[in-house]
PDB file of all heavy atoms in Angstrom:
ATOM      1  N   ASP A 128     -40.120 -16.103 -20.427  1.00 97.00           N
ATOM      2  CA  ASP A 128     -40.205 -17.551 -20.306  1.00 97.00           C
ATOM      3  C   ASP A 128     -41.019 -18.280 -21.369  1.00 97.00           C
ATOM      4  O   ASP A 128     -41.189 -19.373 -21.468  1.00 97.00           O
ATOM      5  CB  ASP A 128     -40.799 -17.975 -19.029  1.00 97.00           C
ATOM      6  CG  ASP A 128     -42.280 -17.687 -18.819  1.00 97.00           C
ATOM      7  OD1 ASP A 128     -42.872 -17.297 -19.826  1.00 97.00           O
ATOM      8  OD2 ASP A 128     -42.763 -17.926 -17.698  1.00 97.00           O
ATOM      9  N   GLY A 129     -41.574 -17.460 -22.394  1.00 97.00           N
ATOM     10  CA  GLY A 129     -42.188 -17.937 -23.582  1.00 97.00           C
ATOM     11  C   GLY A 129     -43.677 -18.007 -23.616  1.00 97.00           C
ATOM     12  O   GLY A 129     -44.399 -18.259 -24.507  1.00 97.00           O
ATOM     13  N   THR A 130     -44.356 -17.489 -22.475  1.00 98.00           N
ATOM     14  CA  THR A 130     -45.844 -17.528 -22.439  1.00 98.00           C
ATOM     15  C   THR A 130     -46.223 -16.354 -23.277  1.00 98.00           C
ATOM     16  O   THR A 130     -45.826 -15.137 -23.037  1.00 98.00           O
ATOM     17  CB  THR A 130     -46.247 -17.255 -20.962  1.00 98.00           C
ATOM     18  OG1 THR A 130     -45.666 -18.315 -20.123  1.00 98.00           O
ATOM     19  CG2 THR A 130     -47.729 -17.336 -20.909  1.00 98.00           C
ATOM     20  N   VAL A 131     -47.157 -16.620 -24.271  1.00 98.00           N
ATOM     21  CA  VAL A 131     -47.571 -15.685 -25.136  1.00 98.00           C
ATOM     22  C   VAL A 131     -48.817 -14.984 -24.693  1.00 98.00           C
ATOM     23  O   VAL A 131     -49.816 -15.641 -24.291  1.00 98.00           O
ATOM     24  CB  VAL A 131     -47.791 -16.245 -26.561  1.00 98.00           C
ATOM     25  CG1 VAL A 131     -48.327 -15.197 -27.462  1.00 98.00           C
ATOM     26  CG2 VAL A 131     -46.527 -16.712 -27.213  1.00 98.00           C
ATOM     27  N   HIS A 132     -48.900 -13.629 -24.755  1.00 98.00           N
ATOM     28  CA  HIS A 132     -50.090 -12.976 -24.446  1.00 98.00           C
ATOM     29  C   HIS A 132     -50.506 -12.141 -25.568  1.00 98.00           C
ATOM     30  O   HIS A 132     -49.681 -11.489 -26.426  1.00 98.00           O
ATOM     31  CB  HIS A 132     -49.751 -11.851 -23.210  1.00 98.00           C
ATOM     32  CG  HIS A 132     -49.509 -12.673 -21.960  1.00 98.00           C
ATOM     33  ND1 HIS A 132     -50.390 -13.029 -21.163  1.00 98.00           N
ATOM     34  CD2 HIS A 132     -48.343 -13.111 -21.491  1.00 98.00           C
ATOM     35  CE1 HIS A 132     -49.872 -13.710 -20.062  1.00 98.00           C
ATOM     36  NE2 HIS A 132     -48.618 -13.684 -20.333  1.00 98.00           N
ATOM     37  N   SER A 133     -51.712 -11.765 -25.830  1.00 98.00           N
ATOM     38  CA  SER A 133     -52.404 -10.979 -26.896  1.00 98.00           C
ATOM     39  C   SER A 133     -53.057  -9.769 -26.221  1.00 98.00           C
ATOM     40  O   SER A 133     -53.269  -9.783 -24.981  1.00 98.00           O
ATOM     41  CB  SER A 133     -53.264 -11.733 -27.648  1.00 98.00           C
ATOM     42  OG  SER A 133     -54.500 -12.009 -26.935  1.00 98.00           O
ATOM     43  N   ARG A 134     -53.395  -8.839 -26.995  1.00 98.00           N
ATOM     44  CA  ARG A 134     -54.166  -7.682 -26.594  1.00 98.00           C
ATOM     45  C   ARG A 134     -55.478  -8.121 -25.785  1.00 98.00           C
ATOM     46  O   ARG A 134     -55.708  -7.627 -24.682  1.00 98.00           O
ATOM     47  CB  ARG A 134     -54.512  -6.752 -27.720  1.00 98.00           C
ATOM     48  CG  ARG A 134     -55.411  -5.496 -27.372  1.00 98.00           C
ATOM     49  CD  ARG A 134     -56.049  -4.894 -28.576  1.00 98.00           C
ATOM     50  NE  ARG A 134     -56.995  -6.037 -29.208  1.00 98.00           N
ATOM     51  CZ  ARG A 134     -57.370  -5.990 -30.446  1.00 98.00           C
ATOM     52  NH1 ARG A 134     -56.870  -5.076 -31.164  1.00 98.00           N
ATOM     53  NH2 ARG A 134     -57.977  -6.929 -30.878  1.00 98.00           N
ATOM     54  N   ASP A 135     -56.156  -8.976 -26.448  1.00 98.00           N
ATOM     55  CA  ASP A 135     -57.463  -9.542 -25.840  1.00 98.00           C
ATOM     56  C   ASP A 135     -57.248 -10.271 -24.582  1.00 98.00           C
ATOM     57  O   ASP A 135     -57.975 -10.280 -23.741  1.00 98.00           O
ATOM     58  CB  ASP A 135     -58.105 -10.322 -26.867  1.00 98.00           C
ATOM     59  CG  ASP A 135     -58.602  -9.537 -28.156  1.00 98.00           C
ATOM     60  OD1 ASP A 135     -58.684  -8.197 -27.974  1.00 98.00           O
ATOM     61  OD2 ASP A 135     -59.090 -10.035 -29.050  1.00 98.00           O
ATOM     62  N   SER A 136     -56.024 -10.978 -24.457  1.00 98.00           N
ATOM     63  CA  SER A 136     -55.858 -11.838 -23.263  1.00 98.00           C
ATOM     64  C   SER A 136     -55.444 -10.881 -22.041  1.00 98.00           C
ATOM     65  O   SER A 136     -55.768 -11.370 -20.928  1.00 98.00           O
ATOM     66  CB  SER A 136     -54.797 -12.882 -23.487  1.00 98.00           C
ATOM     67  OG  SER A 136     -53.496 -12.363 -23.565  1.00 98.00           O
ATOM     68  N   VAL A 137     -55.064  -9.728 -22.303  1.00 98.00           N
ATOM     69  CA  VAL A 137     -54.661  -8.856 -21.161  1.00 98.00           C
ATOM     70  C   VAL A 137     -55.696  -7.793 -20.872  1.00 98.00           C
ATOM     71  O   VAL A 137     -55.631  -7.147 -19.912  1.00 98.00           O
ATOM     72  CB  VAL A 137     -53.239  -8.195 -21.361  1.00 98.00           C
ATOM     73  CG1 VAL A 137     -52.139  -9.411 -21.202  1.00 98.00           C
ATOM     74  CG2 VAL A 137     -53.139  -7.392 -22.593  1.00 98.00           C
ATOM     75  N   MET A 138     -56.743  -7.651 -21.914  1.00 98.00           N
ATOM     76  CA  MET A 138     -57.808  -6.708 -21.754  1.00 98.00           C
ATOM     77  C   MET A 138     -58.685  -6.933 -20.397  1.00 98.00           C
ATOM     78  O   MET A 138     -59.004  -8.094 -20.229  1.00 98.00           O
ATOM     79  CB  MET A 138     -58.639  -6.694 -22.993  1.00 98.00           C
ATOM     80  CG  MET A 138     -59.847  -5.872 -22.895  1.00 98.00           C
ATOM     81  SD  MET A 138     -59.510  -4.084 -22.984  1.00 98.00           S
ATOM     82  CE  MET A 138     -59.375  -3.802 -24.719  1.00 98.00           C
ATOM     83  N   GLY A 139     -58.813  -5.963 -19.769  1.00 98.00           N
ATOM     84  CA  GLY A 139     -59.790  -5.999 -18.583  1.00 98.00           C
ATOM     85  C   GLY A 139     -61.140  -5.820 -18.924  1.00 98.00           C
ATOM     86  O   GLY A 139     -61.480  -5.254 -20.058  1.00 98.00           O
ATOM     87  N   GLU A 140     -62.102  -6.023 -18.006  1.00 98.00           N
ATOM     88  CA  GLU A 140     -63.504  -5.875 -18.402  1.00 98.00           C
ATOM     89  C   GLU A 140     -63.815  -4.347 -18.576  1.00 98.00           C
ATOM     90  O   GLU A 140     -64.673  -4.007 -19.347  1.00 98.00           O
ATOM     91  CB  GLU A 140     -64.273  -6.312 -17.053  1.00 98.00           C
ATOM     92  CG  GLU A 140     -65.742  -6.110 -17.164  1.00 98.00           C
ATOM     93  CD  GLU A 140     -66.499  -6.533 -15.779  1.00 98.00           C
ATOM     94  OE1 GLU A 140     -65.990  -7.425 -15.205  1.00 98.00           O
ATOM     95  OE2 GLU A 140     -67.521  -5.883 -15.493  1.00 98.00           O
ATOM     96  N   LYS A 141     -63.023  -3.383 -17.882  1.00 98.00           N
ATOM     97  CA  LYS A 141     -63.321  -1.925 -17.984  1.00 98.00           C
ATOM     98  C   LYS A 141     -62.266  -1.275 -18.789  1.00 98.00           C
ATOM     99  O   LYS A 141     -62.284  -0.048 -18.983  1.00 98.00           O
ATOM    100  CB  LYS A 141     -63.335  -1.456 -16.588  1.00 98.00           C
ATOM    101  CG  LYS A 141     -64.266  -2.020 -15.702  1.00 98.00           C
ATOM    102  CD  LYS A 141     -65.574  -1.299 -15.831  1.00 98.00           C
ATOM    103  CE  LYS A 141     -66.607  -1.920 -14.919  1.00 98.00           C
ATOM    104  NZ  LYS A 141     -67.054  -1.115 -13.750  1.00 98.00           N
ATOM    105  N   GLY A 142     -61.161  -1.960 -19.296  1.00 98.00           N
ATOM    106  CA  GLY A 142     -60.154  -1.316 -20.077  1.00 98.00           C
ATOM    107  C   GLY A 142     -58.937  -1.977 -20.116  1.00 98.00           C
ATOM    108  O   GLY A 142     -58.752  -3.030 -19.584  1.00 98.00           O
ATOM    109  N   LEU A 143     -57.854  -1.249 -20.661  1.00 98.00           N
ATOM    110  CA  LEU A 143     -56.539  -1.743 -20.885  1.00 98.00           C
ATOM    111  C   LEU A 143     -55.468  -0.792 -20.817  1.00 98.00           C
ATOM    112  O   LEU A 143     -55.671   0.319 -21.316  1.00 98.00           O
ATOM    113  CB  LEU A 143     -56.377  -2.484 -22.258  1.00 98.00           C
ATOM    114  CG  LEU A 143     -55.034  -2.985 -22.754  1.00 98.00           C
ATOM    115  CD1 LEU A 143     -54.598  -4.212 -21.822  1.00 98.00           C
ATOM    116  CD2 LEU A 143     -55.164  -3.442 -24.116  1.00 98.00           C
ATOM    117  N   LEU A 144     -54.420  -0.954 -20.164  1.00 98.00           N
ATOM    118  CA  LEU A 144     -53.281  -0.137 -20.023  1.00 98.00           C
ATOM    119  C   LEU A 144     -52.130  -0.895 -20.619  1.00 98.00           C
ATOM    120  O   LEU A 144     -51.779  -1.938 -20.216  1.00 98.00           O
ATOM    121  CB  LEU A 144     -52.957   0.350 -18.593  1.00 98.00           C
ATOM    122  CG  LEU A 144     -51.743   1.195 -18.478  1.00 98.00           C
ATOM    123  CD1 LEU A 144     -52.025   2.547 -19.121  1.00 98.00           C
ATOM    124  CD2 LEU A 144     -51.352   1.336 -16.990  1.00 98.00           C
ATOM    125  N   ILE A 145     -51.496  -0.252 -21.545  1.00 98.00           N
ATOM    126  CA  ILE A 145     -50.222  -0.828 -22.217  1.00 98.00           C
ATOM    127  C   ILE A 145     -49.092   0.125 -21.873  1.00 98.00           C
ATOM    128  O   ILE A 145     -49.212   1.324 -22.146  1.00 98.00           O
ATOM    129  CB  ILE A 145     -50.225  -0.901 -23.753  1.00 98.00           C
ATOM    130  CG1 ILE A 145     -51.366  -2.019 -24.140  1.00 98.00           C
ATOM    131  CG2 ILE A 145     -48.962  -1.485 -24.316  1.00 98.00           C
ATOM    132  CD1 ILE A 145     -51.133  -3.385 -23.722  1.00 98.00           C
ATOM    133  N   ALA A 146     -48.088  -0.351 -21.116  1.00 98.00           N
ATOM    134  CA  ALA A 146     -46.962   0.480 -20.737  1.00 98.00           C
ATOM    135  C   ALA A 146     -45.637   0.011 -21.524  1.00 98.00           C
ATOM    136  O   ALA A 146     -45.198  -1.238 -21.294  1.00 98.00           O
ATOM    137  CB  ALA A 146     -46.734   0.505 -19.356  1.00 98.00           C
ATOM    138  N   PHE A 147     -45.073   0.814 -22.367  1.00 98.00           N
ATOM    139  CA  PHE A 147     -43.826   0.483 -22.933  1.00 98.00           C
ATOM    140  C   PHE A 147     -42.709   0.953 -21.931  1.00 98.00           C
ATOM    141  O   PHE A 147     -42.531   2.154 -21.589  1.00 98.00           O
ATOM    142  CB  PHE A 147     -43.586   1.147 -24.329  1.00 98.00           C
ATOM    143  CG  PHE A 147     -44.450   0.685 -25.335  1.00 98.00           C
ATOM    144  CD1 PHE A 147     -45.764   0.982 -25.530  1.00 98.00           C
ATOM    145  CD2 PHE A 147     -43.916  -0.397 -26.133  1.00 98.00           C
ATOM    146  CE1 PHE A 147     -46.597   0.474 -26.514  1.00 98.00           C
ATOM    147  CE2 PHE A 147     -44.752  -0.967 -27.150  1.00 98.00           C
ATOM    148  CZ  PHE A 147     -45.999  -0.627 -27.358  1.00 98.00           C
ATOM    149  N   ILE A 148     -41.928  -0.028 -21.385  1.00 98.00           N
ATOM    150  CA  ILE A 148     -40.865   0.375 -20.368  1.00 98.00           C
ATOM    151  C   ILE A 148     -39.690  -0.492 -20.803  1.00 98.00           C
ATOM    152  O   ILE A 148     -39.750  -1.320 -21.714  1.00 98.00           O
ATOM    153  CB  ILE A 148     -41.428  -0.022 -18.947  1.00 98.00           C
ATOM    154  CG1 ILE A 148     -41.530  -1.531 -18.828  1.00 98.00           C
ATOM    155  CG2 ILE A 148     -42.580   0.682 -18.611  1.00 98.00           C
ATOM    156  CD1 ILE A 148     -41.819  -1.986 -17.337  1.00 98.00           C
ATOM    157  N   CYS A 149     -38.609  -0.292 -20.036  1.00 98.00           N
ATOM    158  CA  CYS A 149     -37.412  -1.045 -20.175  1.00 98.00           C
ATOM    159  C   CYS A 149     -36.711  -1.097 -18.785  1.00 98.00           C
ATOM    160  O   CYS A 149     -37.222  -0.552 -17.778  1.00 98.00           O
ATOM    161  CB  CYS A 149     -36.400  -0.493 -21.225  1.00 98.00           C
ATOM    162  SG  CYS A 149     -35.610   0.998 -20.796  1.00 98.00           S
ATOM    163  N   ASN A 150     -35.611  -1.781 -18.725  1.00 98.00           N
ATOM    164  CA  ASN A 150     -34.893  -2.073 -17.437  1.00 98.00           C
ATOM    165  C   ASN A 150     -33.888  -0.942 -17.169  1.00 98.00           C
ATOM    166  O   ASN A 150     -33.687  -0.760 -15.892  1.00 98.00           O
ATOM    167  CB  ASN A 150     -34.126  -3.404 -17.416  1.00 98.00           C
ATOM    168  CG  ASN A 150     -35.026  -4.573 -17.814  1.00 98.00           C
ATOM    169  OD1 ASN A 150     -36.278  -4.478 -17.688  1.00 98.00           O
ATOM    170  ND2 ASN A 150     -34.350  -5.517 -18.521  1.00 98.00           N
ATOM    171  N   HIS A 151     -33.388  -0.326 -18.119  1.00 96.00           N
ATOM    172  CA  HIS A 151     -32.219   0.527 -17.822  1.00 96.00           C
ATOM    173  C   HIS A 151     -32.495   2.098 -17.890  1.00 96.00           C
ATOM    174  O   HIS A 151     -31.743   2.763 -17.227  1.00 96.00           O
ATOM    175  CB  HIS A 151     -31.112   0.206 -18.823  1.00 96.00           C
ATOM    176  CG  HIS A 151     -31.247   1.144 -20.176  1.00 96.00           C
ATOM    177  ND1 HIS A 151     -31.901   0.637 -21.216  1.00 96.00           N
ATOM    178  CD2 HIS A 151     -30.627   2.203 -20.526  1.00 96.00           C
ATOM    179  CE1 HIS A 151     -31.883   1.570 -22.145  1.00 96.00           C
ATOM    180  NE2 HIS A 151     -31.105   2.559 -21.682  1.00 96.00           N
ATOM    181  N   CYS A 152     -33.696   2.411 -18.365  1.00 96.00           N
ATOM    182  CA  CYS A 152     -33.948   3.840 -18.430  1.00 96.00           C
ATOM    183  C   CYS A 152     -34.132   4.471 -17.058  1.00 96.00           C
ATOM    184  O   CYS A 152     -34.968   3.955 -16.209  1.00 96.00           O
ATOM    185  CB  CYS A 152     -35.175   4.117 -19.155  1.00 96.00           C
ATOM    186  SG  CYS A 152     -35.837   5.699 -19.114  1.00 96.00           S
ATOM    187  N   PRO A 153     -33.311   5.530 -16.755  1.00 96.00           N
ATOM    188  CA  PRO A 153     -33.525   6.203 -15.401  1.00 96.00           C
ATOM    189  C   PRO A 153     -34.928   6.755 -15.142  1.00 96.00           C
ATOM    190  O   PRO A 153     -35.306   6.706 -14.010  1.00 96.00           O
ATOM    191  CB  PRO A 153     -32.561   7.438 -15.440  1.00 96.00           C
ATOM    192  CG  PRO A 153     -32.025   7.514 -16.852  1.00 96.00           C
ATOM    193  CD  PRO A 153     -32.333   6.199 -17.536  1.00 96.00           C
ATOM    194  N   TYR A 154     -35.752   7.066 -16.157  1.00 96.00           N
ATOM    195  CA  TYR A 154     -37.064   7.565 -15.960  1.00 96.00           C
ATOM    196  C   TYR A 154     -38.001   6.300 -15.549  1.00 96.00           C
ATOM    197  O   TYR A 154     -38.816   6.601 -14.632  1.00 96.00           O
ATOM    198  CB  TYR A 154     -37.620   8.184 -17.289  1.00 96.00           C
ATOM    199  CG  TYR A 154     -36.890   9.540 -17.575  1.00 96.00           C
ATOM    200  CD1 TYR A 154     -35.770   9.431 -18.395  1.00 96.00           C
ATOM    201  CD2 TYR A 154     -37.293  10.714 -17.024  1.00 96.00           C
ATOM    202  CE1 TYR A 154     -35.079  10.575 -18.696  1.00 96.00           C
ATOM    203  CE2 TYR A 154     -36.636  11.923 -17.346  1.00 96.00           C
ATOM    204  CZ  TYR A 154     -35.542  11.841 -18.101  1.00 96.00           C
ATOM    205  OH  TYR A 154     -34.776  12.960 -18.412  1.00 96.00           O
ATOM    206  N   VAL A 155     -37.801   5.179 -16.153  1.00 97.00           N
ATOM    207  CA  VAL A 155     -38.564   4.021 -15.768  1.00 97.00           C
ATOM    208  C   VAL A 155     -38.191   3.578 -14.297  1.00 97.00           C
ATOM    209  O   VAL A 155     -38.872   3.354 -13.461  1.00 97.00           O
ATOM    210  CB  VAL A 155     -38.314   2.800 -16.658  1.00 97.00           C
ATOM    211  CG1 VAL A 155     -39.004   1.499 -16.221  1.00 97.00           C
ATOM    212  CG2 VAL A 155     -38.822   3.192 -18.051  1.00 97.00           C
ATOM    213  N   ILE A 156     -36.860   3.568 -14.082  1.00 96.00           N
ATOM    214  CA  ILE A 156     -36.340   3.141 -12.670  1.00 96.00           C
ATOM    215  C   ILE A 156     -36.896   4.129 -11.703  1.00 96.00           C
ATOM    216  O   ILE A 156     -37.267   3.596 -10.537  1.00 96.00           O
ATOM    217  CB  ILE A 156     -34.845   3.191 -12.741  1.00 96.00           C
ATOM    218  CG1 ILE A 156     -34.229   1.957 -13.670  1.00 96.00           C
ATOM    219  CG2 ILE A 156     -34.313   3.000 -11.249  1.00 96.00           C
ATOM    220  CD1 ILE A 156     -32.845   2.004 -13.859  1.00 96.00           C
ATOM    221  N   ALA A 157     -37.121   5.418 -12.027  1.00 95.00           N
ATOM    222  CA  ALA A 157     -37.538   6.355 -10.969  1.00 95.00           C
ATOM    223  C   ALA A 157     -39.059   6.147 -10.603  1.00 95.00           C
ATOM    224  O   ALA A 157     -39.457   6.406  -9.512  1.00 95.00           O
ATOM    225  CB  ALA A 157     -37.305   7.767 -11.552  1.00 95.00           C
ATOM    226  N   ILE A 158     -39.825   5.560 -11.690  1.00 96.00           N
ATOM    227  CA  ILE A 158     -41.206   5.445 -11.464  1.00 96.00           C
ATOM    228  C   ILE A 158     -41.845   4.023 -11.303  1.00 96.00           C
ATOM    229  O   ILE A 158     -42.932   3.694 -10.947  1.00 96.00           O
ATOM    230  CB  ILE A 158     -42.090   6.194 -12.594  1.00 96.00           C
ATOM    231  CG1 ILE A 158     -41.685   5.488 -13.926  1.00 96.00           C
ATOM    232  CG2 ILE A 158     -41.792   7.627 -12.602  1.00 96.00           C
ATOM    233  CD1 ILE A 158     -42.747   4.565 -14.350  1.00 96.00           C
ATOM    234  N   ILE A 159     -40.949   2.976 -11.390  1.00 97.00           N
ATOM    235  CA  ILE A 159     -41.332   1.623 -11.576  1.00 97.00           C
ATOM    236  C   ILE A 159     -42.097   1.149 -10.286  1.00 97.00           C
ATOM    237  O   ILE A 159     -43.265   0.479 -10.481  1.00 97.00           O
ATOM    238  CB  ILE A 159     -40.217   0.637 -11.909  1.00 97.00           C
ATOM    239  CG1 ILE A 159     -40.798  -0.790 -12.141  1.00 97.00           C
ATOM    240  CG2 ILE A 159     -39.191   0.578 -10.766  1.00 97.00           C
ATOM    241  CD1 ILE A 159     -41.784  -0.775 -13.401  1.00 97.00           C
ATOM    242  N   ASP A 160     -41.751   1.527  -9.135  1.00 96.00           N
ATOM    243  CA  ASP A 160     -42.499   1.019  -8.013  1.00 96.00           C
ATOM    244  C   ASP A 160     -43.851   1.764  -7.930  1.00 96.00           C
ATOM    245  O   ASP A 160     -44.863   1.072  -7.444  1.00 96.00           O
ATOM    246  CB  ASP A 160     -41.718   1.265  -6.734  1.00 96.00           C
ATOM    247  CG  ASP A 160     -40.424   0.358  -6.707  1.00 96.00           C
ATOM    248  OD1 ASP A 160     -40.476  -0.688  -7.171  1.00 96.00           O
ATOM    249  OD2 ASP A 160     -39.404   0.799  -6.200  1.00 96.00           O
ATOM    250  N   ARG A 161     -43.931   3.051  -8.232  1.00 97.00           N
ATOM    251  CA  ARG A 161     -45.299   3.678  -8.295  1.00 97.00           C
ATOM    252  C   ARG A 161     -46.033   3.097  -9.432  1.00 97.00           C
ATOM    253  O   ARG A 161     -47.375   2.899  -9.157  1.00 97.00           O
ATOM    254  CB  ARG A 161     -45.025   5.166  -8.600  1.00 97.00           C
ATOM    255  CG  ARG A 161     -44.497   5.942  -7.394  1.00 97.00           C
ATOM    256  CD  ARG A 161     -44.292   7.334  -7.696  1.00 97.00           C
ATOM    257  NE  ARG A 161     -42.928   7.439  -8.234  1.00 97.00           N
ATOM    258  CZ  ARG A 161     -42.500   8.436  -9.036  1.00 97.00           C
ATOM    259  NH1 ARG A 161     -43.234   9.397  -9.328  1.00 97.00           N
ATOM    260  NH2 ARG A 161     -41.248   8.528  -9.428  1.00 97.00           N
ATOM    261  N   LEU A 162     -45.534   2.748 -10.475  1.00 98.00           N
ATOM    262  CA  LEU A 162     -46.426   2.150 -11.607  1.00 98.00           C
ATOM    263  C   LEU A 162     -46.793   0.787 -11.092  1.00 98.00           C
ATOM    264  O   LEU A 162     -48.048   0.479 -11.441  1.00 98.00           O
ATOM    265  CB  LEU A 162     -45.397   1.964 -12.876  1.00 98.00           C
ATOM    266  CG  LEU A 162     -45.986   1.212 -14.021  1.00 98.00           C
ATOM    267  CD1 LEU A 162     -47.351   1.744 -14.580  1.00 98.00           C
ATOM    268  CD2 LEU A 162     -45.093   0.997 -15.129  1.00 98.00           C
ATOM    269  N   VAL A 163     -46.091  -0.019 -10.481  1.00 98.00           N
ATOM    270  CA  VAL A 163     -46.528  -1.351  -9.997  1.00 98.00           C
ATOM    271  C   VAL A 163     -47.687  -1.219  -9.091  1.00 98.00           C
ATOM    272  O   VAL A 163     -48.758  -1.922  -9.253  1.00 98.00           O
ATOM    273  CB  VAL A 163     -45.334  -2.138  -9.360  1.00 98.00           C
ATOM    274  CG1 VAL A 163     -45.845  -3.287  -8.607  1.00 98.00           C
ATOM    275  CG2 VAL A 163     -44.298  -2.572 -10.334  1.00 98.00           C
ATOM    276  N   ALA A 164     -47.683  -0.309  -8.078  1.00 97.00           N
ATOM    277  CA  ALA A 164     -48.648   0.033  -7.246  1.00 97.00           C
ATOM    278  C   ALA A 164     -50.002   0.470  -7.948  1.00 97.00           C
ATOM    279  O   ALA A 164     -51.045  -0.018  -7.670  1.00 97.00           O
ATOM    280  CB  ALA A 164     -48.330   1.022  -6.167  1.00 97.00           C
ATOM    281  N   ASP A 165     -49.753   1.312  -8.934  1.00 98.00           N
ATOM    282  CA  ASP A 165     -51.009   1.823  -9.544  1.00 98.00           C
ATOM    283  C   ASP A 165     -51.617   0.785 -10.465  1.00 98.00           C
ATOM    284  O   ASP A 165     -52.797   0.687 -10.690  1.00 98.00           O
ATOM    285  CB  ASP A 165     -50.544   2.954 -10.513  1.00 98.00           C
ATOM    286  CG  ASP A 165     -50.297   4.339  -9.685  1.00 98.00           C
ATOM    287  OD1 ASP A 165     -50.585   4.301  -8.433  1.00 98.00           O
ATOM    288  OD2 ASP A 165     -49.880   5.334 -10.339  1.00 98.00           O
TER     289      ASP A 165
END
């Protein structure tokens, strides 16, 4: 939707997790709900 985020804007007080994912990969599809919960 055009909202820009930077590394610093998504950094948490205790750390940062960056996940490279996509919509069509069967490996991502298999783990996405677990990833969201984590």
Side-chain angles (χ1 to χ4, degrees):
D128 71 4
T130 305
V131 175
H132 296 271
S133 67
R134 174 200 60 207
D135 293 344
S136 73
V137 296
M138 174 70 81
E140 177 184 329
K141 302 272 179 103
L143 173 66
L144 178 68
I145 299 294
F147 288 87
I148 65 171
C149 69
N150 309 329
H151 87 276
C152 171
Y154 294 90
V155 172
I156 292 166
I158 60 102
I159 190 64
D160 295 326
R161 288 177 272 158
L162 174 60
V163 168
D165 287 353

